[in-house]
């Protein structure tokens, strides 16, 4: 899931005091010490999955491999530490970090053979390619979909209008209290509303001839995007009531798992809680507006990156280009946090035991790769706050035009 950037400077002390970390070290022989050290930073779940593989790599290469867990704000902690020369050799994170990491000089491009690249899903390779260079080895793919409680909604709605009608009928019958659960909150959420925004004709950035996002072509505030938000406003608190600021990142999934909403728009991270609640569910693509464009979700990719100031760059390159491009580690990462593996051979190994995987991939087919350009950092907050205001009843044209100016001014700086 997208992780919001916070002020980098505020994380400096965290980076320098990173002491409570997990680590895996290869035991030194009685006569010699490991020839080198390889340090990997990841979040809690991924660091646990990495440990046995890091240990095996360390033993095979006579390397002391340290896997360190950073629980919060991994991207900002990493940038601060890397710029001061105190970061790891490898960092694990989302592909939309790439623009920021490259801009700050904290990761290096990597070399994958054509055969290696062919082993990954096309969208995964596209996501980790920035300015024509590959910057990471992908291992998981994620996107939003419509998850429905099949006891309440046995059939998948064909359009957003069908979804709202079904949800309102259930609410009128007293079976649910919320038409659908899509997180908005007081600050909005550009990531979660994007499929509806795209279906209604809105866009964030245009694209160049080579398919890369063009920061000079900002769609926010353009007539098509304003019209898109008029449709979203019609779903809001002064319209159909399907979108409401009372549903936020904290309660969106619990609202669904608690049986209060028949529909949830979320990602693979919601499934564990849904299964724990014992709900019967199904996963299908987010439905479009009637007569609209497809409801494109953002497609995100998780990846491994080589730190530009790491002390063991050759080993880091070896680990991610020759070790991570094989199925075993990617399968272990899937088992730690079930999302479709980016490596086709790994996906083939696990999809037979998890029917949801193909459904997630189907829901993401034709999705928009989450922009990794630095200009995207200027979009999240103003766009989200505009969404929240419009859902609450604010004028779409004036609100989105104001957000567009804030974004444009930030990009220009």
């Amino acid at each position: 899931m997208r992780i919001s950037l916070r002020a980098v400077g505020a994380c400096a002390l965290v980076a320098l005091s990173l002491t409570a970390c997990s680590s895996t070290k290869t035991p030194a022989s009685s006569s010699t010490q490991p020839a080198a050290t390889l340090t990997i930073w990841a979040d809690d779940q991924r660091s646990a999955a990495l440990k046995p593989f890091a240990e095996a790599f360390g033993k095979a290469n006579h390397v002391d491999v340290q896997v360190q867990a950073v629980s919060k704000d991994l991207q900002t902690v990493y940038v601060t530490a890397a710029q001061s020369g105190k970061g790891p050799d490898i960092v694990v994170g989302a592909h939309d970090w790439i623009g920021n990491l490259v801009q700050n000089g904290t990761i290096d491009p990597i070399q994958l053979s054509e055969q290696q690249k062919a082993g990954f899903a096309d969208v995964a390779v596209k996501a980790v390619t920035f300015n024509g260079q590959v910057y990471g080895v992908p291992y998981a793919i994620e996107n939003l979909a419509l998850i429905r409680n099949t006891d309440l909604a046995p059939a998948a709605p064909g359009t957003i209008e069908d979804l709202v009608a079904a949800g309102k009928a259930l609410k009128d019958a007293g079976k649910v209290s919320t038409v659908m659960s899509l997180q908005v909150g007081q600050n909005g959420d550009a990531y979660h509303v994007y499929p509806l925004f795209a279906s209604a004709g809105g866009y964030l950035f245009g694209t160049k001839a080579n398919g890369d996002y063009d920061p000079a072509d900002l769609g926010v505030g353009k007539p098509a995007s304003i019209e898109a938000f008029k449709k979203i406003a019609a779903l809001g608190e002064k319209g159909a009531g399907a979108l409401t600021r009372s549903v936020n990142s904290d309660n969106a999934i619990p609202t669904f798992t608690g049986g209060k909403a028949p529909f949830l728009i979320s990602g693979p991270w919601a499934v564990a809680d849904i299964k724990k609640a014992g709900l019967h569910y199904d996963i299908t693509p987010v439905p479009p507006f009637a007569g609209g464009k497809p409801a494109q979700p953002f497609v995100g990719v998780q990846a491994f990156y080589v730190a530009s100031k790491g002390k063991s760059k050759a080993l880091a390159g070896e680990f991610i280009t020759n070790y991570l491009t094989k199925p075993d580690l990617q399968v272990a990462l899937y088992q730690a946090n079930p999302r479709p593996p980016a490596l086709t051979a790994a996906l083939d190994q696990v999809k037979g035991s998890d029917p949801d995987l193909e459904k997630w991939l189907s829901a993401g087919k034709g999705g928009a790769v989450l922009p990794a350009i630095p200009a995207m950092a200027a979009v999240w907050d103003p766009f989200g706050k505009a969404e929240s205001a419009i859902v609450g009843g604010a004028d779409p044209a004036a609100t989105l035009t104001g957000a567009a100016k804030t974004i444009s001014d930030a990009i220009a700086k």
Side-chain angles (χ1 to χ4, degrees), residues 38 57 76 155 162 197 218 238 243 246 263 273 300 320 345 358 374:
L38 182 68
F57 179 83
T76 43
D162 292 340
F197 178 66
L218 178 66
K238 293 188 176 180
L243 295 177
S246 64
F263 304 103
D273 287 345
I320 74 168
E358 292 286 5

Side-chain angles (χ1 to χ4, degrees), residues 187-264:
N187 292 315
D189 191 305
Y191 180 83
H192 280 79
V193 81
Y194 186 79
L196 303 184
F197 178 66
S199 176
Y203 76 100
L204 297 183
F205 293 104
T207 54
K208 301 176 183 178
N210 64 358
D212 290 348
Y213 286 107
D214 184 359
D217 181 5
L218 178 66
V220 182
K222 297 286 180 65
S225 293
I226 291 171
E227 290 302 311
F229 260 103
K230 288 180 180 178
K231 289 189 174 183
I232 291 170
L235 301 178
E237 294 169 10
K238 293 188 176 180
L243 295 177
T244 171
R245 291 168 293 177
S246 64
V247 178
N248 56 42
S249 59
D250 292 327
N251 64 23
I253 295 172
T255 295
F256 180 76
T257 58
K260 297 177 181 178
F263 304 103
L264 169 68

Side-chain angles (χ1 to χ4, degrees), residues 79-177:
V79 169
T80 302
Q83 290 179 329
S84 65
K86 297 182 179 181
D89 302 295
I90 294 172
V91 66
V92 184
H95 88 268
D96 63 310
W97 296 8
I98 293 176
N100 180 53
L101 298 185
V102 171
Q103 188 176 54
N104 283 284
T106 58
I107 59 172
D108 281 345
I110 62 170
Q111 299 298 319
L112 292 178
S113 69
E114 291 303 315
Q115 183 178 3
Q116 287 175 318
K117 285 191 281 188
F120 291 94
D122 289 343
V123 69
V125 176
K126 181 179 179 180
V128 296
T129 302
F130 182 75
N131 288 340
Q133 293 184 297
V134 175
Y135 276 91
V137 172
Y139 72 87
I141 300 170
E142 58 192 21
N143 52 263
L144 297 176
L146 177 69
I147 308 171
R148 73 182 193 281
N149 181 329
T150 54
D151 290 331
L152 294 169
T159 65
I160 282 293
E161 289 84 355
D162 292 340
L163 181 156
V164 171
K168 288 181 74 172
L170 289 166
K171 185 177 179 181
D172 291 344
K175 294 182 179 181
V176 299
S177 58

Side-chain angles (χ1 to χ4, degrees), residues 170-186:
L170 289 166
K171 185 177 179 181
D172 291 344
K175 294 182 179 181
V176 299
S177 58
T178 304
V179 173
M180 72 169 172
S181 190
L182 187 154
Q183 63 190 61
V184 179
Q186 296 302 312

